[in-house]
mmCIF file of all heavy atoms in Angstrom:
data_model
loop_
_atom_site.group_PDB
_atom_site.id
_atom_site.type_symbol
_atom_site.label_atom_id
_atom_site.label_comp_id
_atom_site.label_asym_id
_atom_site.label_seq_id
_atom_site.Cartn_x
_atom_site.Cartn_y
_atom_site.Cartn_z
ATOM 1 N N GLU A 73 1.338 32.126 -9.448
ATOM 2 C CA GLU A 73 1.591 32.457 -10.838
ATOM 3 C C GLU A 73 2.906 31.815 -11.361
ATOM 4 O O GLU A 73 3.158 31.687 -12.516
ATOM 5 C CB GLU A 73 1.646 33.967 -11.077
ATOM 6 C CG GLU A 73 0.282 34.629 -10.910
ATOM 7 C CD GLU A 73 -0.108 34.797 -9.497
ATOM 8 O OE1 GLU A 73 0.777 34.851 -8.605
ATOM 9 O OE2 GLU A 73 -1.331 34.829 -9.208
ATOM 10 N N HIS A 74 3.827 31.566 -10.445
ATOM 11 C CA HIS A 74 5.143 31.045 -10.831
ATOM 12 C C HIS A 74 5.418 29.735 -10.144
ATOM 13 O O HIS A 74 5.649 29.633 -8.954
ATOM 14 C CB HIS A 74 6.259 32.021 -10.374
ATOM 15 C CG HIS A 74 6.247 33.316 -11.132
ATOM 16 N ND1 HIS A 74 6.455 34.547 -10.524
ATOM 17 C CD2 HIS A 74 5.997 33.598 -12.489
ATOM 18 C CE1 HIS A 74 6.338 35.466 -11.424
ATOM 19 N NE2 HIS A 74 6.079 34.957 -12.592
ATOM 20 N N GLN A 75 5.246 28.665 -10.954
ATOM 21 C CA GLN A 75 5.536 27.289 -10.373
ATOM 22 C C GLN A 75 6.210 26.551 -11.477
ATOM 23 O O GLN A 75 5.820 26.446 -12.643
ATOM 24 C CB GLN A 75 4.249 26.603 -9.992
ATOM 25 C CG GLN A 75 3.567 27.176 -8.804
ATOM 26 C CD GLN A 75 2.331 26.373 -8.401
ATOM 27 O OE1 GLN A 75 2.020 25.378 -8.958
ATOM 28 N NE2 GLN A 75 1.665 26.857 -7.368
ATOM 29 N N LEU A 76 7.335 25.937 -11.076
ATOM 30 C CA LEU A 76 8.114 25.107 -12.038
ATOM 31 C C LEU A 76 8.332 23.744 -11.450
ATOM 32 O O LEU A 76 8.952 23.519 -10.431
ATOM 33 C CB LEU A 76 9.490 25.769 -12.290
ATOM 34 C CG LEU A 76 10.446 24.972 -13.249
ATOM 35 C CD1 LEU A 76 9.790 24.895 -14.629
ATOM 36 C CD2 LEU A 76 11.749 25.694 -13.324
ATOM 37 N N GLU A 77 7.761 22.768 -12.158
ATOM 38 C CA GLU A 77 7.848 21.344 -11.712
ATOM 39 C C GLU A 77 9.123 20.712 -12.303
ATOM 40 O O GLU A 77 9.366 20.731 -13.488
ATOM 41 C CB GLU A 77 6.620 20.582 -12.176
ATOM 42 C CG GLU A 77 6.538 19.186 -11.701
ATOM 43 C CD GLU A 77 5.225 18.506 -12.047
ATOM 44 O OE1 GLU A 77 4.160 19.090 -11.630
ATOM 45 O OE2 GLU A 77 5.263 17.430 -12.623
ATOM 46 N N LEU A 78 9.908 20.138 -11.469
ATOM 47 C CA LEU A 78 11.168 19.474 -11.841
ATOM 48 C C LEU A 78 10.972 18.006 -12.064
ATOM 49 O O LEU A 78 9.938 17.418 -11.661
ATOM 50 C CB LEU A 78 12.269 19.709 -10.803
ATOM 51 C CG LEU A 78 12.579 21.157 -10.438
ATOM 52 C CD1 LEU A 78 13.670 21.265 -9.405
ATOM 53 C CD2 LEU A 78 13.046 21.906 -11.708
ATOM 54 N N PRO A 79 11.904 17.310 -12.735
ATOM 55 C CA PRO A 79 11.790 15.878 -12.955
ATOM 56 C C PRO A 79 11.575 15.159 -11.578
ATOM 57 O O PRO A 79 12.146 15.505 -10.570
ATOM 58 C CB PRO A 79 13.143 15.500 -13.566
ATOM 59 C CG PRO A 79 13.579 16.743 -14.262
ATOM 60 C CD PRO A 79 13.096 17.863 -13.414
ATOM 61 N N PRO A 80 10.711 14.140 -11.620
ATOM 62 C CA PRO A 80 10.300 13.461 -10.335
ATOM 63 C C PRO A 80 11.430 12.508 -9.815
ATOM 64 O O PRO A 80 12.360 12.153 -10.469
ATOM 65 C CB PRO A 80 9.062 12.749 -10.648
ATOM 66 C CG PRO A 80 9.205 12.415 -12.146
ATOM 67 C CD PRO A 80 9.917 13.608 -12.740
ATOM 68 N N ILE A 81 11.194 12.161 -8.552
ATOM 69 C CA ILE A 81 12.064 11.184 -7.839
ATOM 70 C C ILE A 81 11.191 9.965 -7.579
ATOM 71 O O ILE A 81 10.102 10.048 -7.003
ATOM 72 C CB ILE A 81 12.565 11.784 -6.520
ATOM 73 C CG1 ILE A 81 13.372 13.034 -6.770
ATOM 74 C CG2 ILE A 81 13.371 10.710 -5.744
ATOM 75 C CD1 ILE A 81 13.661 13.833 -5.471
ATOM 76 N N TYR A 82 11.688 8.807 -7.960
ATOM 77 C CA TYR A 82 10.964 7.544 -7.726
ATOM 78 C C TYR A 82 11.750 6.694 -6.708
ATOM 79 O O TYR A 82 12.970 6.517 -6.842
ATOM 80 C CB TYR A 82 10.846 6.706 -9.033
ATOM 81 C CG TYR A 82 9.779 7.241 -9.990
ATOM 82 C CD1 TYR A 82 9.992 8.303 -10.799
ATOM 83 C CD2 TYR A 82 8.503 6.632 -10.072
ATOM 84 C CE1 TYR A 82 9.060 8.766 -11.673
ATOM 85 C CE2 TYR A 82 7.588 7.099 -10.959
ATOM 86 C CZ TYR A 82 7.846 8.178 -11.751
ATOM 87 O OH TYR A 82 6.862 8.615 -12.639
ATOM 88 N N ILE A 83 11.024 6.219 -5.690
ATOM 89 C CA ILE A 83 11.583 5.223 -4.798
ATOM 90 C C ILE A 83 10.708 4.011 -4.892
ATOM 91 O O ILE A 83 9.502 4.015 -4.548
ATOM 92 C CB ILE A 83 11.553 5.830 -3.349
ATOM 93 C CG1 ILE A 83 12.334 7.144 -3.269
ATOM 94 C CG2 ILE A 83 12.216 4.778 -2.399
ATOM 95 C CD1 ILE A 83 12.254 7.831 -1.911
ATOM 96 N N ASN A 84 11.292 2.932 -5.463
ATOM 97 C CA ASN A 84 10.524 1.773 -5.884
ATOM 98 C C ASN A 84 10.889 0.520 -5.118
ATOM 99 O O ASN A 84 12.037 0.267 -4.760
ATOM 100 C CB ASN A 84 10.668 1.493 -7.396
ATOM 101 C CG ASN A 84 10.393 2.662 -8.211
ATOM 102 O OD1 ASN A 84 9.381 3.315 -8.056
ATOM 103 N ND2 ASN A 84 11.253 2.964 -9.245
ATOM 104 N N SER A 85 9.864 -0.345 -4.913
ATOM 105 C CA SER A 85 10.142 -1.668 -4.508
ATOM 106 C C SER A 85 10.840 -2.410 -5.678
ATOM 107 O O SER A 85 10.887 -1.902 -6.797
ATOM 108 C CB SER A 85 8.862 -2.374 -4.102
ATOM 109 O OG SER A 85 8.010 -2.529 -5.242
ATOM 110 N N ARG A 86 11.333 -3.577 -5.452
ATOM 111 C CA ARG A 86 12.056 -4.291 -6.520
ATOM 112 C C ARG A 86 11.115 -4.493 -7.738
ATOM 113 O O ARG A 86 11.531 -4.269 -8.881
ATOM 114 C CB ARG A 86 12.539 -5.655 -5.984
ATOM 115 C CG ARG A 86 13.270 -6.451 -7.056
ATOM 116 C CD ARG A 86 13.810 -7.779 -6.448
ATOM 117 N NE ARG A 86 14.495 -8.550 -7.461
ATOM 118 C CZ ARG A 86 13.866 -9.369 -8.322
ATOM 119 N NH1 ARG A 86 12.531 -9.485 -8.341
ATOM 120 N NH2 ARG A 86 14.582 -10.066 -9.237
ATOM 121 N N LYS A 87 9.926 -4.976 -7.452
ATOM 122 C CA LYS A 87 8.991 -5.225 -8.569
ATOM 123 C C LYS A 87 8.610 -3.919 -9.329
ATOM 124 O O LYS A 87 8.615 -3.869 -10.548
ATOM 125 C CB LYS A 87 7.689 -5.872 -8.036
ATOM 126 C CG LYS A 87 6.696 -6.256 -9.063
ATOM 127 C CD LYS A 87 5.530 -6.962 -8.417
ATOM 128 C CE LYS A 87 4.517 -7.363 -9.507
ATOM 129 N NZ LYS A 87 3.329 -8.049 -8.870
ATOM 130 N N GLN A 88 8.367 -2.857 -8.602
ATOM 131 C CA GLN A 88 7.998 -1.599 -9.210
ATOM 132 C C GLN A 88 9.176 -0.911 -9.979
ATOM 133 O O GLN A 88 8.999 -0.249 -10.924
ATOM 134 C CB GLN A 88 7.476 -0.630 -8.203
ATOM 135 C CG GLN A 88 6.072 -0.935 -7.706
ATOM 136 C CD GLN A 88 5.004 -0.793 -8.771
ATOM 137 O OE1 GLN A 88 5.092 0.059 -9.662
ATOM 138 N NE2 GLN A 88 4.027 -1.725 -8.717
ATOM 139 N N HIS A 89 10.437 -1.273 -9.503
ATOM 140 C CA HIS A 89 11.550 -0.698 -10.175
ATOM 141 C C HIS A 89 11.782 -1.302 -11.499
ATOM 142 O O HIS A 89 12.250 -0.661 -12.440
ATOM 143 C CB HIS A 89 12.814 -0.920 -9.283
ATOM 144 C CG HIS A 89 13.968 -0.029 -9.659
ATOM 145 N ND1 HIS A 89 13.910 1.309 -9.588
ATOM 146 C CD2 HIS A 89 15.212 -0.345 -10.155
ATOM 147 C CE1 HIS A 89 15.023 1.839 -10.012
ATOM 148 N NE2 HIS A 89 15.867 0.846 -10.389
ATOM 149 N N ILE A 90 11.478 -2.613 -11.653
ATOM 150 C CA ILE A 90 11.525 -3.292 -12.940
ATOM 151 C C ILE A 90 10.559 -2.598 -13.880
ATOM 152 O O ILE A 90 10.925 -2.360 -15.108
ATOM 153 C CB ILE A 90 11.261 -4.797 -12.807
ATOM 154 C CG1 ILE A 90 12.379 -5.438 -11.937
ATOM 155 C CG2 ILE A 90 11.148 -5.443 -14.156
ATOM 156 C CD1 ILE A 90 12.126 -6.878 -11.606
ATOM 157 N N ILE A 91 9.386 -2.359 -13.457
ATOM 158 C CA ILE A 91 8.337 -1.660 -14.263
ATOM 159 C C ILE A 91 8.796 -0.284 -14.661
ATOM 160 O O ILE A 91 8.653 0.173 -15.841
ATOM 161 C CB ILE A 91 6.978 -1.590 -13.517
ATOM 162 C CG1 ILE A 91 6.431 -3.022 -13.277
ATOM 163 C CG2 ILE A 91 5.964 -0.802 -14.335
ATOM 164 C CD1 ILE A 91 5.189 -3.078 -12.415
ATOM 165 N N PHE A 92 9.410 0.420 -13.735
ATOM 166 C CA PHE A 92 9.957 1.773 -13.984
ATOM 167 C C PHE A 92 10.947 1.723 -15.076
ATOM 168 O O PHE A 92 10.910 2.545 -16.042
ATOM 169 C CB PHE A 92 10.598 2.353 -12.731
ATOM 170 C CG PHE A 92 11.283 3.692 -12.917
ATOM 171 C CD1 PHE A 92 10.591 4.877 -12.947
ATOM 172 C CD2 PHE A 92 12.663 3.693 -13.182
ATOM 173 C CE1 PHE A 92 11.264 6.075 -13.147
ATOM 174 C CE2 PHE A 92 13.302 4.900 -13.409
ATOM 175 C CZ PHE A 92 12.610 6.052 -13.396
ATOM 176 N N GLN A 93 11.890 0.787 -15.030
ATOM 177 C CA GLN A 93 12.961 0.676 -16.048
ATOM 178 C C GLN A 93 12.388 0.340 -17.435
ATOM 179 O O GLN A 93 12.929 0.867 -18.451
ATOM 180 C CB GLN A 93 13.997 -0.312 -15.593
ATOM 181 C CG GLN A 93 14.850 0.163 -14.379
ATOM 182 C CD GLN A 93 15.817 -0.900 -13.914
ATOM 183 O OE1 GLN A 93 15.478 -2.096 -13.862
ATOM 184 N NE2 GLN A 93 16.969 -0.443 -13.531
ATOM 185 N N ARG A 94 11.398 -0.477 -17.414
ATOM 186 C CA ARG A 94 10.820 -0.897 -18.710
ATOM 187 C C ARG A 94 9.898 0.128 -19.359
ATOM 188 O O ARG A 94 9.905 0.308 -20.608
ATOM 189 C CB ARG A 94 10.028 -2.178 -18.500
ATOM 190 C CG ARG A 94 10.854 -3.454 -18.183
ATOM 191 C CD ARG A 94 9.928 -4.589 -17.912
ATOM 192 N NE ARG A 94 10.694 -5.789 -17.669
ATOM 193 C CZ ARG A 94 10.168 -7.022 -17.327
ATOM 194 N NH1 ARG A 94 8.862 -7.070 -17.247
ATOM 195 N NH2 ARG A 94 10.941 -8.061 -17.090
ATOM 196 N N GLU A 95 9.198 0.861 -18.488
ATOM 197 C CA GLU A 95 8.138 1.748 -19.011
ATOM 198 C C GLU A 95 8.325 3.279 -18.710
ATOM 199 O O GLU A 95 8.529 4.051 -19.561
ATOM 200 C CB GLU A 95 6.755 1.303 -18.495
ATOM 201 C CG GLU A 95 6.463 -0.157 -18.975
ATOM 202 C CD GLU A 95 5.114 -0.584 -18.390
ATOM 203 O OE1 GLU A 95 4.354 0.272 -17.747
ATOM 204 O OE2 GLU A 95 4.758 -1.793 -18.467
ATOM 205 N N THR A 96 8.356 3.517 -17.423
ATOM 206 C CA THR A 96 8.321 4.914 -16.962
ATOM 207 C C THR A 96 9.527 5.683 -17.391
ATOM 208 O O THR A 96 9.449 6.823 -17.797
ATOM 209 C CB THR A 96 8.136 4.964 -15.429
ATOM 210 O OG1 THR A 96 7.052 4.153 -14.992
ATOM 211 C CG2 THR A 96 7.923 6.443 -14.938
ATOM 212 N N SER A 97 10.716 5.072 -17.239
ATOM 213 C CA SER A 97 11.957 5.808 -17.576
ATOM 214 C C SER A 97 12.015 6.250 -19.000
ATOM 215 O O SER A 97 12.720 7.183 -19.348
ATOM 216 C CB SER A 97 13.184 4.899 -17.252
ATOM 217 O OG SER A 97 13.180 3.756 -18.021
ATOM 218 N N LYS A 98 11.307 5.524 -19.920
ATOM 219 C CA LYS A 98 11.305 5.921 -21.282
ATOM 220 C C LYS A 98 10.453 7.183 -21.523
ATOM 221 O O LYS A 98 10.713 7.989 -22.425
ATOM 222 C CB LYS A 98 10.778 4.768 -22.161
ATOM 223 C CG LYS A 98 11.709 3.535 -22.111
ATOM 224 C CD LYS A 98 11.113 2.372 -22.935
ATOM 225 C CE LYS A 98 11.984 1.157 -22.812
ATOM 226 N NZ LYS A 98 11.457 0.013 -23.564
ATOM 227 N N LYS A 99 9.376 7.343 -20.696
ATOM 228 C CA LYS A 99 8.502 8.501 -20.818
ATOM 229 C C LYS A 99 9.073 9.716 -20.090
ATOM 230 O O LYS A 99 8.889 10.831 -20.495
ATOM 231 C CB LYS A 99 7.118 8.165 -20.252
ATOM 232 C CG LYS A 99 6.422 7.018 -20.986
ATOM 233 C CD LYS A 99 5.126 6.646 -20.307
ATOM 234 C CE LYS A 99 4.458 5.511 -20.950
ATOM 235 N NZ LYS A 99 3.191 5.118 -20.245
ATOM 236 N N GLU A 100 9.646 9.426 -18.905
ATOM 237 C CA GLU A 100 10.237 10.478 -18.040
ATOM 238 C C GLU A 100 11.736 10.278 -18.004
ATOM 239 O O GLU A 100 12.293 9.763 -17.038
ATOM 240 C CB GLU A 100 9.641 10.484 -16.666
ATOM 241 C CG GLU A 100 8.098 10.621 -16.700
ATOM 242 C CD GLU A 100 7.492 10.585 -15.331
ATOM 243 O OE1 GLU A 100 7.910 11.388 -14.472
ATOM 244 O OE2 GLU A 100 6.608 9.770 -15.095
ATOM 245 N N LYS A 101 12.403 10.690 -19.049
ATOM 246 C CA LYS A 101 13.820 10.351 -19.203
ATOM 247 C C LYS A 101 14.678 11.041 -18.149
ATOM 248 O O LYS A 101 15.791 10.594 -17.832
ATOM 249 C CB LYS A 101 14.310 10.781 -20.620
ATOM 250 C CG LYS A 101 13.599 9.978 -21.704
ATOM 251 C CD LYS A 101 14.135 10.412 -23.081
ATOM 252 C CE LYS A 101 13.465 9.571 -24.154
ATOM 253 N NZ LYS A 101 13.959 9.960 -25.522
ATOM 254 N N GLU A 102 14.266 12.200 -17.615
ATOM 255 C CA GLU A 102 15.080 12.870 -16.641
ATOM 256 C C GLU A 102 14.786 12.493 -15.195
ATOM 257 O O GLU A 102 15.352 13.032 -14.274
ATOM 258 C CB GLU A 102 14.945 14.430 -16.774
ATOM 259 C CG GLU A 102 15.468 14.927 -18.135
ATOM 260 C CD GLU A 102 15.379 16.468 -18.271
ATOM 261 O OE1 GLU A 102 14.885 17.073 -17.261
ATOM 262 O OE2 GLU A 102 15.814 16.946 -19.293
ATOM 263 N N ALA A 103 13.800 11.635 -15.045
ATOM 264 C CA ALA A 103 13.447 11.226 -13.680
ATOM 265 C C ALA A 103 14.560 10.471 -13.054
ATOM 266 O O ALA A 103 15.337 9.734 -13.737
ATOM 267 C CB ALA A 103 12.150 10.336 -13.689
ATOM 268 N N GLN A 104 14.696 10.610 -11.714
ATOM 269 C CA GLN A 104 15.701 9.863 -10.932
ATOM 270 C C GLN A 104 14.982 8.803 -10.112
ATOM 271 O O GLN A 104 13.909 9.075 -9.515
ATOM 272 C CB GLN A 104 16.545 10.842 -10.104
ATOM 273 C CG GLN A 104 17.314 11.811 -10.947
ATOM 274 C CD GLN A 104 18.289 12.638 -10.033
ATOM 275 O OE1 GLN A 104 18.723 12.199 -9.012
ATOM 276 N NE2 GLN A 104 18.575 13.835 -10.479
ATOM 277 N N ALA A 105 15.593 7.636 -9.986
ATOM 278 C CA ALA A 105 14.943 6.512 -9.334
ATOM 279 C C ALA A 105 15.936 5.756 -8.443
ATOM 280 O O ALA A 105 17.134 5.710 -8.702
ATOM 281 C CB ALA A 105 14.282 5.610 -10.334
ATOM 282 N N LEU A 106 15.401 5.156 -7.458
ATOM 283 C CA LEU A 106 16.137 4.283 -6.537
ATOM 284 C C LEU A 106 15.338 3.028 -6.236
ATOM 285 O O LEU A 106 14.126 3.145 -5.921
ATOM 286 C CB LEU A 106 16.416 5.040 -5.176
ATOM 287 C CG LEU A 106 17.085 4.288 -4.069
ATOM 288 C CD1 LEU A 106 18.533 4.055 -4.412
ATOM 289 C CD2 LEU A 106 16.927 4.971 -2.738
ATOM 290 N N GLN A 107 15.974 1.883 -6.289
ATOM 291 C CA GLN A 107 15.292 0.680 -5.869
ATOM 292 C C GLN A 107 15.518 0.469 -4.425
ATOM 293 O O GLN A 107 16.659 0.422 -3.882
ATOM 294 C CB GLN A 107 15.913 -0.497 -6.659
ATOM 295 C CG GLN A 107 15.182 -1.863 -6.227
ATOM 296 C CD GLN A 107 15.829 -3.089 -6.975
ATOM 297 O OE1 GLN A 107 16.367 -2.933 -8.069
ATOM 298 N NE2 GLN A 107 15.736 -4.216 -6.319
ATOM 299 N N ARG A 108 14.437 0.301 -3.686
ATOM 300 C CA ARG A 108 14.496 0.150 -2.216
ATOM 301 C C ARG A 108 14.924 -1.272 -1.885
ATOM 302 O O ARG A 108 14.407 -2.269 -2.410
ATOM 303 C CB ARG A 108 13.112 0.416 -1.639
ATOM 304 C CG ARG A 108 13.014 0.186 -0.106
ATOM 305 C CD ARG A 108 13.941 1.136 0.628
ATOM 306 N NE ARG A 108 13.914 0.912 2.100
ATOM 307 C CZ ARG A 108 14.964 0.745 2.843
ATOM 308 N NH1 ARG A 108 16.180 0.776 2.291
ATOM 309 N NH2 ARG A 108 14.904 0.560 4.121
ATOM 310 N N LYS A 109 15.942 -1.369 -0.998
ATOM 311 C CA LYS A 109 16.434 -2.615 -0.448
ATOM 312 C C LYS A 109 16.067 -2.692 0.981
ATOM 313 O O LYS A 109 16.667 -2.099 1.820
ATOM 314 C CB LYS A 109 17.947 -2.745 -0.652
ATOM 315 C CG LYS A 109 18.389 -2.730 -2.119
ATOM 316 C CD LYS A 109 19.916 -2.798 -2.223
ATOM 317 C CE LYS A 109 20.357 -2.726 -3.672
ATOM 318 N NZ LYS A 109 21.833 -2.764 -3.773
ATOM 319 N N ASN A 110 15.033 -3.402 1.261
ATOM 320 C CA ASN A 110 14.442 -3.457 2.609
ATOM 321 C C ASN A 110 15.485 -4.027 3.610
ATOM 322 O O ASN A 110 16.279 -4.843 3.271
ATOM 323 C CB ASN A 110 13.202 -4.320 2.650
ATOM 324 C CG ASN A 110 12.020 -3.733 1.979
ATOM 325 O OD1 ASN A 110 12.039 -2.517 1.751
ATOM 326 N ND2 ASN A 110 11.038 -4.557 1.588
ATOM 327 N N GLY A 111 15.447 -3.434 4.788
ATOM 328 C CA GLY A 111 16.300 -3.868 5.860
ATOM 329 C C GLY A 111 17.602 -3.095 5.952
ATOM 330 O O GLY A 111 18.343 -3.356 6.928
ATOM 331 N N VAL A 112 17.912 -2.267 4.978
ATOM 332 C CA VAL A 112 19.139 -1.527 5.095
ATOM 333 C C VAL A 112 18.795 0.030 4.975
ATOM 334 O O VAL A 112 17.777 0.361 4.372
ATOM 335 C CB VAL A 112 20.103 -1.944 4.016
ATOM 336 C CG1 VAL A 112 20.547 -3.318 4.131
ATOM 337 C CG2 VAL A 112 19.521 -1.646 2.556
ATOM 338 N N ARG A 113 19.672 0.827 5.348
ATOM 339 C CA ARG A 113 19.488 2.252 5.250
ATOM 340 C C ARG A 113 20.061 2.702 3.955
ATOM 341 O O ARG A 113 21.235 2.359 3.605
ATOM 342 C CB ARG A 113 20.235 2.998 6.405
ATOM 343 C CG ARG A 113 20.075 4.529 6.347
ATOM 344 C CD ARG A 113 20.631 5.064 7.664
ATOM 345 N NE ARG A 113 20.332 6.489 7.758
ATOM 346 C CZ ARG A 113 20.473 7.205 8.874
ATOM 347 N NH1 ARG A 113 20.942 6.569 9.987
ATOM 348 N NH2 ARG A 113 20.220 8.500 8.902
ATOM 349 N N GLN A 114 19.278 3.537 3.150
ATOM 350 C CA GLN A 114 19.716 4.018 1.905
ATOM 351 C C GLN A 114 19.612 5.530 1.780
ATOM 352 O O GLN A 114 18.763 6.129 2.458
ATOM 353 C CB GLN A 114 18.893 3.407 0.740
ATOM 354 C CG GLN A 114 19.154 1.946 0.511
ATOM 355 C CD GLN A 114 18.174 1.377 -0.530
ATOM 356 O OE1 GLN A 114 16.984 1.082 -0.189
ATOM 357 N NE2 GLN A 114 18.671 1.215 -1.769
ATOM 358 N N THR A 115 20.504 6.144 1.025
ATOM 359 C CA THR A 115 20.510 7.533 0.834
ATOM 360 C C THR A 115 20.426 7.875 -0.617
ATOM 361 O O THR A 115 21.128 7.261 -1.447
ATOM 362 C CB THR A 115 21.735 8.234 1.439
ATOM 363 O OG1 THR A 115 21.788 7.988 2.830
ATOM 364 C CG2 THR A 115 21.675 9.757 1.224
ATOM 365 N N MET A 116 19.585 8.806 -1.023
ATOM 366 C CA MET A 116 19.436 9.163 -2.390
ATOM 367 C C MET A 116 19.785 10.624 -2.516
ATOM 368 O O MET A 116 19.343 11.530 -1.771
ATOM 369 C CB MET A 116 18.002 8.883 -2.880
ATOM 370 C CG MET A 116 17.829 9.232 -4.388
ATOM 371 S SD MET A 116 16.112 8.835 -4.809
ATOM 372 C CE MET A 116 16.252 9.117 -6.642
ATOM 373 N N HIS A 117 20.604 10.984 -3.533
ATOM 374 C CA HIS A 117 21.018 12.362 -3.839
ATOM 375 C C HIS A 117 20.347 12.775 -5.124
ATOM 376 O O HIS A 117 20.547 12.142 -6.200
ATOM 377 C CB HIS A 117 22.520 12.464 -3.896
ATOM 378 C CG HIS A 117 23.171 12.101 -2.568
ATOM 379 N ND1 HIS A 117 23.147 12.898 -1.497
ATOM 380 C CD2 HIS A 117 23.867 11.020 -2.251
ATOM 381 C CE1 HIS A 117 23.840 12.351 -0.540
ATOM 382 N NE2 HIS A 117 24.253 11.200 -0.981
ATOM 383 N N TYR A 118 19.621 13.921 -5.113
ATOM 384 C CA TYR A 118 18.925 14.442 -6.276
ATOM 385 C C TYR A 118 19.595 15.739 -6.684
ATOM 386 O O TYR A 118 19.869 16.662 -5.825
ATOM 387 C CB TYR A 118 17.481 14.651 -5.950
ATOM 388 C CG TYR A 118 16.637 15.320 -7.078
ATOM 389 C CD1 TYR A 118 16.015 14.488 -8.022
ATOM 390 C CD2 TYR A 118 16.446 16.682 -7.119
ATOM 391 C CE1 TYR A 118 15.253 15.069 -8.992
ATOM 392 C CE2 TYR A 118 15.662 17.282 -8.089
ATOM 393 C CZ TYR A 118 15.110 16.434 -9.064
ATOM 394 O OH TYR A 118 14.358 17.022 -10.019
ATOM 395 N N LEU A 119 19.971 15.864 -7.898
ATOM 396 C CA LEU A 119 20.618 17.134 -8.398
ATOM 397 C C LEU A 119 20.037 17.461 -9.758
ATOM 398 O O LEU A 119 20.046 16.659 -10.709
ATOM 399 C CB LEU A 119 22.123 16.895 -8.523
ATOM 400 C CG LEU A 119 22.955 18.121 -8.822
ATOM 401 C CD1 LEU A 119 22.877 19.106 -7.704
ATOM 402 C CD2 LEU A 119 24.425 17.743 -9.128
ATOM 403 N N GLN A 120 19.560 18.665 -9.843
ATOM 404 C CA GLN A 120 19.037 19.226 -11.103
ATOM 405 C C GLN A 120 19.287 20.685 -11.295
ATOM 406 O O GLN A 120 19.522 21.370 -10.265
ATOM 407 C CB GLN A 120 17.455 19.033 -11.162
ATOM 408 C CG GLN A 120 16.980 17.655 -11.481
ATOM 409 C CD GLN A 120 17.149 17.288 -12.929
ATOM 410 O OE1 GLN A 120 17.354 18.204 -13.794
ATOM 411 N NE2 GLN A 120 17.123 15.984 -13.246
ATOM 412 N N SER A 121 19.336 21.150 -12.493
ATOM 413 C CA SER A 121 19.595 22.577 -12.752
ATOM 414 C C SER A 121 18.590 23.038 -13.843
ATOM 415 O O SER A 121 18.235 22.263 -14.739
ATOM 416 C CB SER A 121 20.971 22.937 -13.127
ATOM 417 O OG SER A 121 21.311 22.298 -14.356
#
Side-chain angles (χ1 to χ4, degrees):
E73 290 75 27
H74 293 139
Q75 292 184 1
L76 178 63
E77 186 175 303
L78 301 180
I81 301 168
Y82 284 80
I83 304 174
N84 303 316
S85 64
R86 180 178 177 278
K87 183 177 180 179
Q88 288 294 325
H89 197 63
I90 293 173
I91 296 174
F92 172 84
Q93 291 176 321
R94 290 177 179 175
E95 301 176 7
T96 310
S97 63
K98 295 177 181 179
K99 300 176 183 178
E100 302 180 53
K101 296 181 180 180
E102 295 184 359
Q104 296 187 29
L106 172 75
Q107 179 182 332
R108 176 65 181 130
K109 297 178 181 179
N110 289 340
V112 299
R113 181 173 188 165
Q114 290 175 280
T115 300
M116 182 178 187
H117 298 287
Y118 177 89
L119 189 67
Q120 281 286 343
S121 65

